[in-house]
Amino acid sequence: LTNAEYNASVQALLGTSATPADDFPPDARQHGFTVNEAQRVDPVLARALDGSAQALAQEARPEFPRLAPCADTASGGEACAASFIESFATRAYRRPLTDEDRTSLLTLYRAGAEGATYEDGIELLIRGILQSPGFLYLTEIGDGSPGPIVSLTPSEIAASLSYIITGGPPDDALIQAAADGLLDTPEGREAEARRLFATEAGRARTVRVVREWLGIDRIT
């Protein structure tokens, strides 16, 4: 993710107004554009991501009754944590979770909650998810079908469309369109693309691309 995409992603995920990536190192650029294949998580950016994840997770604690409600914290809250992982990590990773995802994230929750509280476990979960490759990278792994052509999954198509056009994660309508198979056809993808271009985020993204193309986005 570029710095602008990171800000949009954490805002959509946590409901925060913070823009932590404003303090990150500048994006790597190719031909003036921030969206490119040169983006890397180097040690300097890794430290900035860690600091951002800690700050965002701490800021989110008062919102845990909304983000991760649980009426049974006395028993350790693992059922609540598993439910939170399913909803929160699925949105963060922009794809369905695998069994490996669920197992590793529940292990992370246990590490945070052991000898502490349910809230401590959830805070560590958020920190971990915000620094995971599933959140920081857009995948184009495909559906695993054999042959020389890789077919992207509906979730990958939705994420690709959304980040290209709006610079942020898929909204509920795009997620539903992917689930309903509407992105499997050119006509369905075009309809969603036109809808996204008409949003406020789509218009802002278009302006950003044009400013980077003209080389004026870094002029104060």
Side-chain angles (χ1 to χ4, degrees):
L1 302 180
T2 66
N3 289 349
E5 290 171 342
Y6 178 93
N7 281 340
S9 298
V10 297
Q11 288 170 357
L13 191 59
L14 294 168
T16 181
S17 60
T19 55
D22 291 354
D23 297 323
F24 288 2
D27 291 307
R29 294 185 181 238
Q30 285 182 330
H31 307 293
F33 293 101
T34 55
V35 177
N36 57 67
E37 64 180 2
Q39 300 289 359
R40 296 290 185 272
V41 178
D42 59 23
V44 175
L45 179 56
R47 286 192 291 273
L49 289 168
D50 179 48
S52 171
Q54 290 189 50
L56 288 168
Q58 290 172 1
E59 178 189 304
R61 281 189 77 115
E63 297 298 318
F64 284 178
R66 174 181 63 85
L67 293 171
C70 188
D72 187 27
T73 56
S75 63
E78 283 208 7
C80 300
S83 177
F84 172 74
I85 288 169
E86 198 66 37
S87 61
F88 187 82
T90 296
R91 289 189 295 118
Y93 293 172
R94 303 170 288 271
R95 59 166 174 76
L97 299 182
T98 65
D99 289 340
E100 183 180 357
D101 292 328
R102 296 183 183 94
T103 299
S104 62
L105 290 173
L106 192 56
T107 300
L108 182 61
Y109 164 77
R110 289 168 180 157
E114 184 177 4
T117 66
Y118 169 76
E119 288 76 15
D120 293 325
I122 295 298
E123 182 175 337
L124 186 61
L125 261 178
I126 293 174
R127 285 178 55 189
I129 289 170
L130 292 182
Q131 296 180 78
S132 66
F135 175 71
L136 296 173
Y137 289 86
L138 297 181
T139 64
E140 293 181 342
I141 297 172
D143 59 8
S145 54
I149 297 176
V150 174
S151 297
L152 299 183
T153 67
S155 296
E156 289 176 328
I157 294 172
S160 179
L161 268 179
S162 186
Y163 277 94
I164 287 172
I165 297 173
T166 72
D171 60 13
D172 291 340
L174 186 55
I175 292 172
Q176 189 60 53
D180 292 342
L182 300 180
L183 303 183
D184 295 344
T185 66
E187 295 78 14
R189 294 191 290 272
E190 179 182 347
E192 283 301 308
R194 289 183 179 276
R195 181 184 68 80
L196 293 172
F197 271 120
T199 64
E200 181 179 351
R203 292 191 293 270
R205 175 71 154 189
T206 302
V207 170
R208 173 180 285 275
V209 171
V210 172
R211 286 169 58 83
E212 291 181 1
W213 169 54
L214 294 175
I216 61 174
D217 64 300
R218 286 176 284 187
I219 298 175
T220 303

